[in-house]
Amino acid sequence: MGKLRIRGRICQLAGVCAGLWLGIAAAAEADAVRPAPEVIRFNGILRGFNLTPPVQSEGLGTAQMALTGAEVMWIVSFYGLSSPPTGVYIHGPADLEEKPAAASRQAKDSPVLFDLGTNGKPAGRNNWLVGKASLSAAQLADLNAGKWYVMVHSETLPQGELRGAIKPFEIK
């Protein structure tokens, strides 16, 4: 009778182990088939000649963005500004309609969507900024339509030293 109890306990233990193993295997399989969220990438080159009217600047910058669902993350970097930056902003939605040259010189900036700040660092002439934000449906549509741009303002050029349109990233 004692041997039967031991065999019964071994069978129970084996059943528990098999159940745990099947549960772990099922959980691993569920993780394996869960699709990764789609990431849509955007980028832009920041230059002085992208402003209206264009400005002379030795500065150069880039903006990289990744959109996952309704959350956007960015890395904006720049160097060679004429003076320390006074503001770095994402603007939108930009008016994409063609305008005569004389009218475009009178162009006004679109509203500021996000103040990128300075990441708590002193605002030097060479800098990089990272951040993220949740987007409204309208902001999401404007970003996907290429209606956002980044502007870097400086002490020397308070109306803007660098600007770059944010467009979907395309490999050519």
Side-chain angles (χ1 to χ4, degrees):
M1 201 80 153
K3 288 183 181 180
L4 288 176
R5 281 190 181 168
I6 292 173
R7 285 185 190 162
R9 298 266 185 222
I10 291 173
C11 287
Q12 284 178 340
L13 184 57
V16 168
C17 288
L20 286 173
W21 181 82
L22 288 173
I24 291 169
E29 185 177 325
D31 283 343
V33 295
R34 184 178 305 147
E38 181 183 11
V39 177
I40 302 170
R41 300 190 188 289
F42 300 83
N43 67 337
I45 305 296
L46 312 178
R47 298 297 304 259
F49 59 73
N50 291 335
L51 287 140
T52 305
V55 299
Q56 293 294 319
S57 173
E58 295 297 318
L60 178 64
T62 65
Q64 307 294 320
M65 295 186 181
L67 178 67
T68 305
E71 182 176 74
V72 65
M73 294 173 278
W74 59 77
I75 299 173
V76 174
S77 61
F78 51 87
Y79 64 91
L81 297 182
S82 61
S83 61
T86 56
V88 183
Y89 307 102
I90 296 174
H91 291 262
D95 181 8
L96 300 179
E97 291 183 29
E98 292 293 323
K99 296 185 173 123
S104 68
R105 292 191 199 332
Q106 306 300 322
K108 293 187 179 183
D109 292 329
S110 298
V112 171
L113 296 173
F114 303 104
D115 180 345
L116 304 189
T118 59
N119 284 350
K121 300 181 294 189
R125 293 176 50 216
N126 307 312
N127 218 331
W128 57 270
L129 307 167
V130 298
K132 65 181 180 176
S134 294
L135 304 182
S136 68
Q139 290 171 330
L140 192 58
D142 289 340
L143 173 60
N144 282 308
K147 293 183 175 183
W148 282 16
Y149 60 94
V150 173
M151 274 186 74
V152 179
H153 303 261
S154 67
E155 291 174 2
T156 304
L157 296 162
Q159 298 301 326
E161 182 160 347
L162 303 176
R163 177 179 168 147
I166 304 303
K167 302 290 183 187
F169 181 75
E170 295 178 13
I171 299 175
K172 295 182 182 181

